[in-house]
Amino acid sequence: MRARVKILDVFSGRYSVFISEEEAKKAKLHPDDLVKVESGKKTIYGSLVISNLVGSGEIGVSKDVLQLHSLSEGEVVTVTPVGTPESVRYIKKKMHGEKLRKVEIEAIVRDIVDRKLRDIEISSFVTALEINGLDMDEIAALTVAMAETGDMLDIDRKPIMDVHSIGGVPGNKTNILVVPIVAAAGLTIPKTSSRAITSAAGTADVVEVFANVSFSLDEIKRIVEKVGACLVWGGALNLAPADDITIKSERALSVDPPGLMLASIMSKKYAMGSQYVLIDIPTGKGVKVETMEEARSLARDFIELGKRLGQYVEVAITYGGQPIGHTVGPALEAREALSALMTGKGPGSLIEKATGLAGILLEMGGVAPAGMGKKMAKEILESGKAWEKMKEIIEEQGGDPNIKPEDIPIGDKTYTFTAPTSGYVTWIDNRAITGIARAAGAPEDKGAGLELYVKVGEKVKEGDPLFTIHAESEARLDQAIVFARRTEPIRIEGMVLQRIGNI
């Protein structure tokens, strides 16, 4: 059928094409059919939505479509139903636990990017990877396919360093310290980050509180070649675009398949031209990787994948048994990270981890002798050089370089939980802490989250404050309070943990 384009002021949350019920009947089209829209040299694929928003002879396109394709009001296009892509057969193959060939993986990724695969099919692919996994041949093929279907960055300043945490630990604002420390030492570190998937704040969510994080590749190249670093959102770029699409399914399903995680992380590093990559694997109860054995296995996978991609990869297995620092949630974490950069001081867990990771990068980049990287990183932080570099990054990214932590607004609806008994903090539940912060509205509500007043091993008295929830609305605060009461975010016990009598 031929139709005139009508631009609809809606975001459908998926790649949608709208037609009227009358036109659907005439063209024998059904809801969720995959259709091809052609105009000149432009070809667009989308899922069909039958709607009264459009009239006879019209086809409606949502703003999701216009973000990637230029169509004008009244433009005449041809709409054709499309059969099920061949890549669906390959997804079914993986659902049955079979190994995929390189060409099959390339077809799936290409169809994800071209929007030939619908949300339900992409979710099926993600679920198949969660259940049946990928071997290293498949992961390498997926990584390269994800990178090569998007743009690639070429920065003249070499060597190019990169760091990535696989996440799972609440309050992990570490890289906001690592990047300026490394750049202050003269190395180049263009850091792209994702938004939160299952956490309360991704690095991009935190940085966005005080600087812009959405830039084009050309703008990133200009920023990095001027100040040696950036802290930007990868999703605003066309870097490994299939990754940004599959992340939506991962977020909806609350899964993060290991093979897809490896490909997701390393495809972005490959596309950014990173030569030296440090991977942070937080390990401990309540995070993605709970045992040292799992962490070492994943570390070997990252190193092997790096070799196949021509990148030098090192891995730091870090303590992930409790939150990093004392804050969780975008604005609260931004305050804490900027304060640590300004003063060179902060919570032990944050400073220790940031200087430890930065130190490894300084050694990898050849600016610090072996074993001296952490000492050099601490000197850069404490001398104020890291803060000066961060101010340059903030200014280049459109923020106020003279910002003060207390200038950042946080949720003013609060509730403080206190210790129900005296004793010692024996456990902090990472998942519960993240759940509370998300229930309060993080990461979408920047000011939402929580402040922690205690750490594992500390002695508390009955009535001492344990943590304060921050929310931007009373309704969200109430949700977070209910969530906190249903879980046990902080466990307090006496020194005698259990008494067993003589039976």
Side-chain angles (χ1 to χ4, degrees):
M1 62 174 276
R2 288 177 68 75
R4 296 182 313 278
V5 170
K6 181 178 181 181
I7 295 169
L8 302 177
D9 191 20
V10 295
F11 278 94
S12 64
R14 57 183 189 159
Y15 231 56
S16 300
V17 173
F18 298 74
I19 66 168
S20 68
E21 189 172 357
E22 177 193 345
E23 292 289 1
K25 281 179 181 173
K26 279 198 284 187
K28 292 185 168 48
L29 293 170
H30 306 97
D32 281 334
D33 276 356
L34 181 68
V35 295
K36 178 168 64 173
V37 180
E38 293 177 290
S39 172
K41 293 182 179 179
K42 286 179 288 193
T43 302
I44 300 164
Y45 295 89
S47 294
L48 197 72
V49 175
I50 298 182
S51 169
N52 59 8
L53 292 173
V54 288
S56 178
E58 291 182 326
I59 173 174
V61 292
S62 62
K63 288 195 170 180
D64 313 60
V65 176
L66 292 178
Q67 284 180 334
L68 293 179
H69 300 281
S70 57
L71 288 170
S72 50
E73 186 82 22
E75 186 175 345
V76 177
V77 296
T78 303
V79 184
T80 315
V82 181
T84 302
E86 181 71 8
S87 56
V88 171
R89 191 164 64 82
Y90 307 147
I91 291 171
K92 287 180 180 175
K93 186 175 170 183
K94 178 47 71 176
M95 288 168 77
H96 293 139
E98 296 177 49
K99 178 171 177 169
L100 297 178
R101 293 181 297 129
K102 184 172 180 282
V103 290
E104 294 170 337
I105 289 170
E106 288 168 346
I108 292 170
V109 172
R110 193 167 50 249
D111 285 352
I112 288 172
V113 173
D114 290 344
R115 308 290 175 150
K116 289 184 184 178
L117 289 174
R118 291 161 289 192
D119 291 349
I120 188 76
E121 291 152 347
I122 295 168
S123 294
S124 298
F125 179 55
V126 170
T127 304
L129 300 189
E130 172 73 11
I131 294 167
N132 295 315
L134 295 164
D135 69 14
M136 189 51 67
D137 291 336
E138 293 173 303
I139 294 168
L142 181 60
T143 305
V144 174
M146 288 171 84
E148 291 184 346
T149 47
D151 294 333
M152 311 278 276
L153 183 66
D154 182 24
I155 293 172
D156 294 332
R157 287 177 61 147
K158 302 284 193 298
I160 296 174
M161 317 301 292
D162 214 333
V163 60
H164 186 92
S165 173
I166 70 163
V169 186
N172 193 11
K173 73 284 292 176
T174 317
N175 287 334
I176 298 172
L177 277 67
V178 172
V179 168
I181 291 172
V182 172
L187 294 172
T188 304
I189 182 161
K191 178 79 181 91
T192 63
S193 303
S194 62
R195 297 194 186 280
I197 299 175
T198 56
S199 72
T203 300
D205 297 307
V206 178
V207 176
E208 192 174 44
V209 171
F210 55 83
N212 186 13
V213 294
S214 299
F215 295 95
S216 69
L217 272 187
D218 286 343
E219 288 169 328
I220 287 173
K221 185 178 170 74
R222 178 191 62 76
I223 292 168
V224 173
E225 291 185 349
K226 184 174 179 183
V227 299
C230 65
L231 281 156
V232 301
W233 176 43
L237 306 165
N238 193 37
L239 293 176
D243 177 48
D244 300 308
I245 298 167
T246 56
I247 276 175
K248 290 178 184 173
S249 292
E250 292 177 71
R251 188 179 285 122
L253 296 164
S254 281
V255 297
D256 196 5
L260 186 55
M261 178 186 68
L262 281 156
S264 166
I265 293 167
M266 295 301 283
S267 63
K268 292 272 171 75
K269 307 307 173 198
Y270 188 76
M272 288 295 284
S274 304
Q275 297 163 294
Y276 297 89
V277 181
L278 175 62
I279 302 294
D280 164 30
I281 303 181
T283 305
K285 196 171 181 184
V287 293
K288 291 177 185 176
V289 179
E290 296 207 340
T291 68
M292 287 296 288
E293 189 179 337
E294 285 178 82
R296 290 190 189 101
S297 173
L298 187 57
R300 286 191 290 270
D301 287 343
F302 270 113
I303 291 166
E304 174 60 27
L305 182 55
K307 285 177 183 173
R308 294 187 185 215
L309 300 174
Q311 296 169 311
Y312 179 77
V313 176
E314 285 196 25
V315 176
I317 298 173
T318 57
Y319 174 65
Q322 63 179 329
I324 295 165
H326 295 128
T327 58
V328 179
L332 289 158
E333 291 187 44
R335 280 185 165 198
E336 189 170 54
L338 292 181
S339 176
L341 283 165
M342 285 178 75
T343 64
K345 298 171 186 172
S349 55
L350 175 59
I351 302 298
E352 183 71 18
K353 181 168 181 177
T355 54
L357 294 178
I360 295 171
L361 284 162
L362 297 178
E363 292 177 24
M364 287 169 71
V367 296
M372 296 297 289
K374 185 175 179 182
K375 184 173 184 288
M376 183 176 175
K378 276 193 169 175
E379 287 169 358
I380 291 171
L381 178 64
E382 290 170 359
S383 68
K385 289 177 184 173
W387 174 234
E388 289 305 313
K389 178 57 69 176
M390 188 61 172
K391 285 164 72 175
E392 291 177 25
I393 295 168
I394 292 171
E395 187 166 21
E396 289 302 314
Q397 291 188 202
D400 177 6
N402 298 313
I403 189 171
K404 294 180 175 61
E406 58 270 22
D407 295 340
I408 296 169
I410 56 176
D412 60 353
K413 310 295 187 289
T414 64
Y415 184 88
T416 300
F417 278 77
T418 57
T421 183
S422 298
Y424 292 85
V425 177
T426 58
W427 185 44
I428 297 179
D429 186 339
N430 282 326
R431 290 195 178 102
I433 293 293
T434 296
I436 294 165
R438 286 179 72 91
E444 289 81 8
D445 296 346
K446 297 293 187 188
L450 54 86
E451 282 184 273
L452 283 163
Y453 304 121
V454 295
K455 287 296 183 103
V456 172
E458 291 183 7
K459 186 177 183 179
V460 295
K461 293 176 185 173
E462 183 179 341
D464 282 355
L466 299 177
F467 62 93
T468 295
I469 301 171
H470 288 261
E472 294 183 1
S473 73
E474 293 289 354
R476 283 291 200 173
L477 180 64
D478 289 343
Q479 286 179 28
I481 292 168
V482 168
F483 189 100
R485 285 178 175 154
R486 283 179 182 161
T487 56
E488 188 186 20
I490 298 177
R491 185 178 298 163
I492 297 166
E493 297 175 300
M495 292 306 289
V496 177
L497 300 181
Q498 187 177 7
R499 177 180 174 181
I500 300 173
N502 189 337
I503 299 170

